[in-house]
Amino acid sequence: MSQSFLRYKTEAKRGIKYTIMVTGPSGTGKTTFVNSVLDASLLAHKFQPRGKTIDEPKVLSYLGDANNNYDHREFTPFNKNLEDQTMAITSSSIEISDEDDSKILLSVLDTPGFGENLDNEVCFEEITNYLRQQFDHVLAEETRIRRNPKFEDTRVHVCLYFIEATGHGLREIDVECMKRLSKFVNVLPVIGKADSFTASELAAFKKNIIADIEKYSVPVFEFNYDEEEDDDDTIEENIMLQKLQPFAVISSKEKKTIDGDLKYVRSYPWGDIVIDDASDFLRLKNVLFGSHLQDFKDLTTNFLYENYRSDKLSSVTEEDKKKKNSNDDVNPSLSNLAALTLEESASEPQIKTEELSTPKLNSISQFNRDAAESSPIKEISRAIRDDNQHIISNIKNSPKLTYSPDPSRNKLRVISETVPYVLKHEEILSRQQRLQELEERSARELAQRAAALEKKAAELKKRERLLRSGSIATSLRKEDTLTDLSSILKREDSDI
Amino acid sequence: MAESVGIASLPNQKYKLITKEGGEFTIMVAGESGLGKTTFVNTLFQTSLKTAVDNRTRHKRGIRPTTEIDIVRADLEEKNFTLRLNIIDTPGFGDNINNKNSWQPIIDFIDDQHDSFMRQEQQPVRTNKHDLRVHACLYFIRPTGHSLKPLDIATMKKLATRVNLIPIIAKSDTLSPTEILEFKSRIRAVIEAQEIRIFTPPIDLDDEASAEHSRRLIESMPFAVIGSENEYDNGKGETVRGRKYPWGLVEVENEQHCDFNKLRSLLLRSNMLDLIVSTNELHFEAYRTLRMQTGDNTEVNGGITTSSRKFHNPKFKEEENALKKFFTDQVKAEEQRFRQWEQNIVNERNRLNSDLDEIQQKVKALDEQVKALQLKTTKR
């Protein structure tokens, strides 16, 4: 038995970790789609009463007023304050076993409340913040000397963005949201509730969406192929899938027996729709869990994450270089980043448990309070006080690292907030340059003066020579003058 | 038997008069874009009154549209009776990320019509009154199957105090019968809890048949409708308006499929006069008393408000404030920077000056030494 085979076995036993996010305006059929794709009741429908059939999802982040805990499971006609902004990101996990014994550990992230507010700006900020945090966690883990064997990669591999079935095209929120998300995740646009379109309407709607995607240059996922490496079938499949984008899906809660098989069906007074046949449902399912699963994972780690990492690190190392120029001014630097991320990851398990037990209040006001208590400047200065040597010692005994619990939570945020400091730093640099210029100018002036003085000295020498030739007598006095002159010249030299 | 005096024929005379005059009806369709407002209007009057927005014009309007008001006028004739129809559309409503106050242009439009009608009434000659008061406002609700969104609630609350509001569920062919029932009951609960006054047909207790009809209409509110401009053969040899899907034909005028017939009956066939009368007696009166009480000199006041209201859109105000704040912040930062520079330059000048002084003193000392030397030589 070779070692690689053993590794494969453990890998298969542990299962492939796979994270999907579904987002989009509410009422576009996200929940129903997920449940019918997995053939399970994983996500709860809005206003679905609590029962034993569905596990409560983990709340990963929550935006809103803590006192006015908005719960999407309970229907209240007496609505909360209309201006309130609520949104949550929840995670539900399920195991899927394939025919060949390989397991997929699937996490589905849902975004209840997305697009329901009067002002939806906060919604995609909430999501991008979450996605960025996951990248930061991985980055922190990578920079550690001693890595945590139980570290969980929580990066999201693919995001299904459900487009409202308007029949017109993309709306502002769709464009803006997909643009922002695509920096962190593969975005697949999906038309939800496609049963509101006739065949020709659907074709026109797809055309409009593609035109909009091009016009506003939204970087959605593309089905690419390598003409040299891929075989003909793959190429053909990819071309077909690319043409099919955006996928239009119909999903249902209902099941009916058709030709002996139990299938998901939408039944209307005017006819039944078998969702497998009538829409791109099966194809999308195949893309998600079959043909492109590995592509999504690879792209996330090799492209999106790498880009993020190099951006982040290069922005930080640039500061590091500048630091050498100015010793008086200190900045967060790569060495500090290591310290910061170390502390972050060390405190991570603690935060996790907090998140599990209670929905973490992640509102802006909370953040402001944090910021007020320990301003970023203070934290940076605190972090910087540990100079390089201290950091090295930190790294050496990282597992037993001592850290102050209060600022560690915001440390990574602080790094992302270094941009203003970089700008400030540039300002200081430019000022320094100006000072240098001034100094150079004054040095030049001094040199001119020195030259003038030398001239005078030369004249004096001339005179002295004249004096020498003139009077040979009184040698004692002559020596006297000579010493005097040499001392003058010496002083002039030192001045120059 | 004596012949009747003839008083009873007065209704007939009125009938002739009104037939000659024709009627006027203004209808407003509000709701987010992509809910089939245009199609619905065309279905209701069975003509192509409005054309759908095509993609190019949509691109021209940009990604961040503002709510606009679009008026289409048409004269419809049926059995020698003409109806002057005004259709008011509100493109761009609810299309933004931030939809705060996106209902403002709609509300402003309705108020403006009330205002202009009131001022026309006050004129000495008022035979040719130009009336665009909205008789019925159809608010289209997205068929999410969940409940009303805050935007819907906020807008409907504002609309309900000004016009006859009729909420309808658009594109109801994406909801199965059970889903529709659930959705409707939730919407009704919200409307009740939020105290939104929607239009209900009056129940005439004397007339059993019409009371029953009204009750049936009230029961099925909010109406779930679909729209279509195309006609198909329904398999029984009749051509009907409908939507042809691979899985079946949805018939617009089929009571089993949607509430279109009920809505049309409410809007046109049985309750059109109720809508017009209640607009005049309820909403216009309410507006008038409010204006009479608050604005003493309505004529001058009204002139100002209509023109200036366009500039008082709270959305613009918000943007303006944000821009102003950004501007002052920027200026402050720049000023701070320049001050810093100035300080540095002053410091540097002082340093150089002191250097200069030092050097000059040195030069002086050297000069003196030179002088001393010269003195020595001359002495010798």
Side-chain angles (χ1 to χ4, degrees):
Chain A
M1 283 283 150
S2 67
Q3 210 177 349
S4 62
F5 180 73
L6 281 173
R7 197 180 293 154
Y8 167 79
K9 252 186 126 177
T10 52
E11 175 91 315
K13 212 195 240 169
R14 233 192 272 155
I16 306 161
K17 257 205 80 72
Y18 188 41
T19 311
I20 296 180
M21 177 182 251
V22 284
T23 187
S26 78
T28 42
K30 301 187 289 291
T31 307
T32 318
F33 172 77
V34 169
N35 287 348
S36 34
V37 153
L38 299 174
D39 197 5
S41 313
L42 181 64
L43 301 183
H45 290 279
K46 194 159 181 161
F47 308 140
Q48 185 178 337
R50 278 165 213 285
K52 281 176 188 168
T53 46
I54 291 164
D55 296 333
E56 279 301 302
K58 277 188 226 166
V59 178
L60 298 175
S61 98
Y62 182 81
L63 177 82
D65 192 357
N67 303 323
N68 192 359
N69 204 333
Y70 173 61
D71 191 339
H72 81 117
R73 292 284 287 279
E74 262 158 43
F75 172 65
T76 47
F78 304 95
N79 220 314
K80 50 190 172 132
N81 183 7
L82 296 177
E83 305 256 324
D84 272 0
Q85 296 181 318
T86 54
M87 203 202 122
I89 300 176
T90 61
S91 161
S92 315
S93 305
I94 192 172
E95 267 181 36
I96 322 172
S97 331
D98 255 358
E99 299 90 32
D100 51 341
D101 263 7
S102 67
K103 258 195 314 192
I104 298 176
L105 299 174
L106 180 75
S107 306
V108 180
L109 303 189
D110 193 8
T111 57
F114 180 93
E116 282 220 322
N117 303 311
L118 277 180
D119 183 356
N120 291 311
E121 188 85 30
V122 285
C123 292
F124 37 78
E125 265 169 26
E126 189 70 13
I127 300 176
T128 42
N129 276 347
Y130 174 77
L131 294 174
R132 192 183 290 122
Q133 263 172 26
Q134 306 324 306
F135 275 13
D136 279 339
H137 284 323
V138 177
L139 187 60
E141 181 64 21
E142 276 185 357
T143 40
R144 285 179 84 176
I145 298 277
R146 219 171 278 171
R147 292 193 179 168
N148 180 4
K150 282 176 190 160
F151 177 76
E152 267 192 59
D153 187 355
T154 46
R155 286 174 295 186
V156 181
H157 300 115
V158 62
C159 170
L160 300 179
Y161 187 89
F162 281 73
I163 300 165
E164 200 115 51
T166 60
H168 292 182
L170 296 179
R171 297 186 305 167
E172 187 191 4
I173 186 168
D174 303 329
V175 171
E176 200 54 36
C177 187
M178 283 200 272
K179 262 190 178 175
R180 297 210 192 176
L181 294 189
S182 56
K183 276 185 204 135
F184 301 103
V185 69
N186 300 305
V187 177
L188 265 185
V190 174
I191 300 168
K193 296 198 171 175
D195 49 349
S196 69
F197 297 115
T198 60
S200 59
E201 280 171 345
L202 184 62
F205 187 39
K206 277 190 177 185
K207 217 174 104 189
N208 282 353
I209 289 176
I210 287 164
D212 281 359
I213 283 175
E214 270 169 25
K215 180 159 197 286
Y216 301 114
S217 46
V218 185
V220 296
F221 181 80
E222 280 172 29
F223 292 93
N224 288 323
Y225 54 88
D226 194 335
E227 243 173 87
E228 284 166 21
E229 275 183 28
D230 291 338
D231 55 81
D232 289 348
D233 285 351
T234 329
I235 291 172
E236 211 170 283
E237 193 195 332
N238 276 322
I239 290 172
M240 190 268 293
L241 288 171
Q242 183 62 29
K243 265 189 193 159
L244 215 60
Q245 278 226 68
F247 296 102
V249 296
I250 304 170
S251 30
S252 174
K253 304 184 228 182
E254 267 178 79
K255 275 184 175 179
K256 256 193 188 176
T257 323
I258 285 175
D259 300 334
D261 287 332
L262 201 61
K263 279 183 173 172
Y264 279 104
V265 160
R266 289 193 72 82
S267 54
Y268 290 117
W270 48 89
D272 288 351
I273 315 172
V274 182
I275 59 169
D276 292 356
D277 312 336
S279 66
D280 305 332
F281 181 84
L282 268 190
R283 289 216 186 83
L284 182 58
K285 185 179 177 179
N286 191 32
V287 165
L288 281 180
F289 298 104
S291 57
H292 287 76
L293 191 151
Q294 201 54 45
D295 278 11
F296 289 138
K297 290 197 78 165
D298 288 351
L299 267 175
T300 308
T301 47
N302 298 341
F303 183 72
L304 294 169
Y305 172 68
E306 279 307 308
N307 274 355
Y308 177 78
R309 184 177 166 275
S310 64
D311 276 2
K312 172 137 257 177
L313 290 185
S314 63
S315 75
V316 173
T317 44
E318 258 168 42
E319 284 166 41
D320 204 28
K321 266 185 225 154
K322 280 171 196 162
K323 196 185 166 191
K324 282 172 194 160
N325 293 339
S326 58
N327 292 326
D328 46 80
D329 196 78
V330 269
N331 269 301
S333 64
L334 185 59
S335 45
N336 287 323
L337 172 75
L340 297 179
T341 47
L342 272 172
E343 290 182 16
E344 158 75 15
S345 47
S347 67
E348 196 186 359
Q350 192 197 332
I351 293 172
K352 270 262 167 77
T353 48
E354 261 178 39
E355 280 174 350
L356 297 191
S357 54
T358 49
K360 196 177 113 201
L361 188 74
N362 210 357
S363 67
I364 296 163
S365 62
Q366 160 89 10
F367 177 68
N368 283 344
R369 233 179 294 135
D370 277 1
E373 272 167 22
S374 50
S375 70
I377 301 168
K378 265 189 206 161
E379 273 164 38
I380 286 176
S381 65
R382 198 177 306 165
I384 280 155
R385 240 175 274 151
D386 313 350
D387 56 358
N388 280 344
Q389 264 200 328
H390 188 80
I391 286 154
I392 289 165
S393 68
N394 257 353
I395 291 167
K396 272 178 186 163
N397 49 25
S398 58
K400 296 167 250 159
L401 189 80
T402 53
Y403 57 88
S404 42
D406 165 45
S408 62
R409 187 190 267 193
N410 279 344
K411 281 269 160 86
L412 273 174
R413 265 199 193 145
V414 167
I415 289 182
S416 65
E417 278 171 3
T418 49
V419 180
Y421 297 102
V422 173
L423 292 177
K424 199 177 157 200
H425 195 87
E426 278 168 0
E427 203 182 287
I428 289 166
L429 271 186
S430 71
R431 244 188 280 149
Q432 240 170 7
Q433 213 180 340
R434 279 186 75 88
L435 284 182
Q436 266 176 2
E437 272 174 22
L438 280 173
E439 238 160 338
E440 266 170 39
R441 214 182 297 154
S442 61
R444 239 177 285 141
E445 257 173 65
L446 281 176
Q448 273 174 4
R449 264 161 215 280
L453 282 177
E454 249 177 86
K455 240 186 200 170
K456 269 188 188 167
E459 266 174 44
L460 281 177
K461 264 187 190 169
K462 233 189 223 167
R463 246 179 233 170
E464 200 213 328
R465 227 176 284 147
L466 276 172
L467 283 172
R468 249 191 217 167
S469 59
S471 62
I472 313 151
T474 61
S475 60
L476 231 166
R477 288 204 171 189
K478 205 167 76 185
E479 271 171 24
D480 215 342
T481 53
L482 267 174
T483 49
D484 205 352
L485 260 176
S486 69
S487 75
I488 290 166
L489 282 173
K490 256 180 208 163
R491 214 185 292 160
E492 276 173 3
D493 275 344
S494 70
D495 269 349
I496 291 160
Chain B
M1 198 173 148
E3 219 173 277
S4 62
V5 183
I7 308 170
S9 71
L10 186 63
N12 290 338
Q13 292 174 29
K14 271 240 161 169
Y15 172 83
K16 262 188 207 160
L17 200 73
I18 286 169
T19 319
K20 221 171 108 188
E21 260 180 18
E24 179 143 30
F25 192 54
T26 309
I27 202 170
M28 178 184 249
V29 283
E32 290 171 51
S33 66
L35 288 177
K37 296 190 292 292
T38 308
T39 315
F40 177 78
V41 166
N42 290 345
T43 317
L44 188 64
F45 297 105
Q46 301 189 0
T47 41
S48 297
L49 290 170
K50 285 169 66 58
T51 47
V53 193
D54 80 337
N55 214 23
R56 240 174 294 150
T57 46
R58 219 165 50 76
H59 277 170
K60 248 185 237 157
R61 284 176 56 204
I63 191 77
R64 199 183 284 260
T66 48
T67 313
E68 287 164 24
I69 301 290
D70 188 12
I71 305 170
V72 175
R73 287 198 180 81
D75 285 357
L76 294 184
E77 200 180 313
E78 197 178 73
K79 290 179 190 160
N80 281 329
F81 181 80
T82 42
L83 179 73
R84 288 185 297 282
L85 189 69
N86 303 305
I87 294 158
I88 294 145
D89 195 3
T90 58
F93 171 76
D95 272 0
N96 295 354
I97 292 175
N98 184 353
N99 288 318
K100 263 180 203 156
N101 295 320
S102 66
W103 53 79
Q104 199 59 45
I106 303 174
I107 303 299
D108 283 349
F109 176 82
I110 294 169
D111 283 351
D112 281 351
Q113 298 325 308
H114 282 319
D115 190 71
S116 96
F117 190 76
M118 192 172 83
R119 279 187 293 128
Q120 285 178 59
E121 264 196 337
Q122 288 164 349
Q123 299 300 315
V125 182
R126 53 179 191 186
T127 41
N128 280 324
K129 274 182 284 191
H130 177 71
D131 187 6
L132 256 182
R133 289 173 302 168
V134 179
H135 296 127
C137 175
L138 302 177
Y139 188 84
F140 285 68
I141 298 164
R142 195 174 282 287
T144 57
H146 297 167
S147 170
L148 289 177
K149 289 198 273 187
L151 174 67
D152 297 328
I153 296 171
T155 312
M156 278 165 70
K157 266 187 165 175
K158 297 259 175 190
L159 285 172
T161 57
R162 289 171 169 84
V163 287
N164 292 317
L165 180 70
I166 302 169
I168 60 178
I169 299 167
K171 293 194 172 176
S172 64
D173 52 347
T174 51
L175 296 172
S176 69
T178 49
E179 285 169 337
I180 282 195
L181 283 181
E182 253 178 66
F183 192 36
K184 274 187 178 177
S185 76
R186 281 197 200 117
I187 291 174
R188 272 200 294 265
V190 172
I191 285 174
E192 213 169 288
Q194 298 283 342
E195 290 170 348
I196 298 168
R197 190 177 56 190
I198 58 170
F199 176 77
T200 44
I203 297 173
D204 188 357
L205 290 173
D206 295 338
D207 188 346
E208 196 57 45
S210 85
E212 180 57 34
H213 178 72
S214 298
R215 250 183 235 117
R216 250 180 0 105
L217 288 183
I218 292 168
E219 259 169 38
S220 51
M221 272 188 175
F223 303 109
V225 298
I226 54 164
S228 172
E229 289 167 49
N230 299 328
E231 294 186 343
Y232 297 97
D233 188 8
N234 72 346
K236 292 174 204 154
E238 301 164 38
T239 30
V240 292
R241 281 187 174 250
R243 297 178 58 80
K244 182 105 183 136
Y245 291 115
W247 48 88
L249 177 74
V250 191
E251 293 168 40
V252 173
E253 290 174 32
N254 189 331
E255 293 260 344
Q256 301 287 312
H257 293 180
C258 72
D259 302 329
F260 178 81
N261 274 355
K262 286 177 190 150
L263 179 60
R264 186 170 60 188
S265 152
L266 178 77
L267 272 181
L268 307 176
R269 294 193 177 165
S270 57
N271 296 94
M272 190 195 238
L273 202 62
D274 288 332
L275 286 167
I276 295 173
V277 168
S278 70
T279 303
N280 199 16
E281 287 177 357
L282 221 75
H283 300 292
F284 177 63
E285 263 333 287
Y287 179 82
R288 203 170 147 268
T289 39
L290 194 77
R291 281 303 299 273
M292 289 297 193
Q293 277 164 1
T294 52
D296 38 336
N297 196 348
T298 38
E299 215 164 317
V300 180
N301 232 354
I304 292 166
T305 42
T306 38
S307 60
S308 61
R309 198 175 275 140
K310 281 194 186 82
F311 302 102
H312 281 300
N313 193 336
K315 199 162 186 176
F316 294 150
K317 197 100 195 162
E318 247 170 58
E319 246 168 68
E320 193 189 329
N321 285 342
L323 280 177
K324 266 186 190 159
K325 195 169 171 286
F326 176 74
F327 181 73
T328 46
D329 284 355
Q330 208 81 342
V331 167
K332 257 185 209 159
E334 287 291 299
E335 264 178 10
Q336 187 66 31
R337 215 155 59 94
F338 284 134
R339 226 167 271 150
Q340 194 85 40
W341 274 5
E342 207 186 328
Q343 192 59 43
N344 280 336
I345 287 168
V346 167
N347 286 347
E348 190 55 30
R349 200 180 59 198
N350 287 345
R351 199 178 68 78
L352 285 176
N353 276 347
S354 63
D355 275 6
L356 203 70
D357 280 350
E358 234 173 76
I359 285 160
Q360 265 169 351
Q361 262 162 16
K362 264 185 205 161
V363 169
K364 236 184 220 167
L366 283 174
D367 273 347
E368 265 164 31
Q369 267 186 334
V370 169
K371 260 181 202 160
L373 276 175
Q374 275 173 338
L375 253 160
K376 268 183 200 169
T377 43
T378 44
K379 263 184 192 167
R380 235 181 283 143

